[in-house]
Amino acid sequence: MPIPDDVTGHEIDKDVQQELQSLPKGLAEDVAKNLVMVANLLDEDPEQAYAYSRVALRLASRVAAVREAAGFAAYATQKYSEALAEFRAARRMTGSVELWPVMADCERGLGRPEKALDMAGGPEVAKLDKAGQVEMRLVAAGARRDMGQIDAAIVTLQSPELASNSVQPWTARLRYAYADALLAAGREDEAREWFAKAIESDKDGSTDASDRLAELDGVEFVDALDEDGEDGADALPESSDSDVAVVERDVDDEGDEGDADGGGDGKV
């Protein structure tokens, strides 16, 4: 597969570079470049990332970092059985437990939430760092919801990390998951409170908490122009005490065209 000229392979982590030193130099460079492509494309084009991961896997299947990258690429494309196999292989090679939460989430993806809960109670969880333990809690709560146990999911998410005022990389996602579970349980006022708290801690827009809160507050975002290019004012819903239509217009210098943006973007 084609690799841009500006991709050198040196962009990968030093730990991965060290792993690749077991390979002949030319092969190591090829594998490194493919791993860079996986990392670069994983969020914006998971299918392409998956394709590059298969190339890396074909070249160096005995390198743990390659198996891990292949696992994440398969996971991003919802190939959960394949992802789980790759994560297990990486874990056998390294002995590390850091992939334990995502392995459990693969079990959820395969329709086995009970297995995910078993893993959440395993001794491996105690060996995870704080971020890993929070991730495991999120997976366990998701498994509870898969099984229709909403109240149990809420209890699972209640933790010192949730109650803390300190903002960590996982804070927004944890608060969001808690708000979503509260809403599913019909506890709307509490859900509104926690969606607001998620927004406060979501500095990089990793969740759609602002959109969810707007929905709860009865705010509807609509386009200023309909598909035919006509002014969308006629299409606005009638306003009431509980439903408010909000239209944001951007007018060009000529003043003859409009555009609307319904807000920010909103992914276990």
Side-chain angles (χ1 to χ4, degrees):
M1 293 186 64
I3 294 178
D5 293 338
D6 60 349
V7 173
T8 66
H10 297 298
E11 299 89 343
I12 60 176
D13 292 340
K14 291 183 179 180
D15 290 344
V16 178
Q17 291 182 27
Q18 187 172 0
E19 279 193 64
L20 295 179
Q21 288 179 0
S22 62
L23 303 174
K25 183 178 180 181
L27 179 58
E29 291 177 351
D30 288 343
V31 173
K33 289 178 181 180
N34 280 280
L35 290 180
V36 171
M37 295 303 296
V38 173
N40 289 348
L41 294 168
L42 195 60
D43 291 331
E44 63 184 60
D45 193 345
E47 290 293 343
Q48 276 289 89
Y50 175 78
Y52 280 103
S53 77
R54 300 308 296 176
V55 175
L57 193 60
R58 186 171 65 250
L59 294 173
S61 62
R62 294 187 179 182
V63 176
V66 171
R67 304 302 290 265
E68 183 176 329
F72 278 110
Y75 179 79
T77 53
Q78 299 184 4
K79 298 176 177 66
Y80 297 117
S81 181
E82 186 176 323
L84 186 57
E86 297 300 341
F87 289 143
R88 284 173 173 168
R91 182 167 180 263
R92 284 196 300 271
M93 292 176 179
T94 64
S96 172
V97 298
E98 67 178 16
L99 294 172
W100 197 250
V102 71
M103 290 169 63
D105 207 39
C106 286
E107 295 288 359
R108 285 186 61 211
L110 291 169
R112 302 194 291 248
E114 297 89 350
K115 177 61 177 175
L117 285 176
D118 287 344
M119 294 178 68
E124 291 82 358
V125 176
K127 301 176 184 179
L128 293 169
D129 60 15
K130 181 60 68 177
Q133 290 178 1
V134 171
E135 195 65 36
M136 192 72 249
R137 190 176 293 277
L138 287 166
V139 173
R144 290 292 186 188
R145 293 192 62 171
D146 293 343
M147 299 166 66
Q149 301 173 4
I150 300 299
D151 290 339
I154 291 172
V155 172
T156 299
L157 292 168
Q158 292 171 343
S159 61
E161 293 81 18
L162 180 67
S164 175
N165 291 324
S166 174
V167 175
Q168 301 294 335
W170 62 76
T171 302
R173 292 177 58 238
L174 184 59
R175 291 176 176 179
Y176 181 93
Y178 189 59
D180 193 48
L182 288 169
L183 187 60
R187 295 160 61 175
E188 186 172 308
D189 289 342
E190 293 173 86
R192 180 181 287 104
E193 175 188 351
W194 281 96
F195 277 129
K197 289 183 177 181
I199 294 171
E200 292 175 0
S201 56
D202 193 1
K203 305 303 182 183
D204 58 358
S206 61
T207 74
D208 64 348
S210 59
D211 292 339
R212 299 294 299 278
L213 184 59
E215 290 176 10
L216 286 173
D217 287 339
V219 178
E220 181 181 356
F221 295 95
V222 298
D223 289 333
L225 297 178
D226 60 20
E227 293 182 357
D228 296 327
E230 298 179 354
D231 194 326
D234 293 338
L236 292 177
E238 295 183 2
S239 62
S240 68
D241 291 339
S242 60
D243 295 301
V244 180
V246 177
V247 179
E248 297 178 1
R249 299 178 185 273
D250 292 326
V251 181
D252 64 11
D253 293 337
E254 300 297 327
D256 57 358
E257 292 186 14
D259 187 19
D261 185 356
D265 295 332
K267 184 163 178 200
V268 164

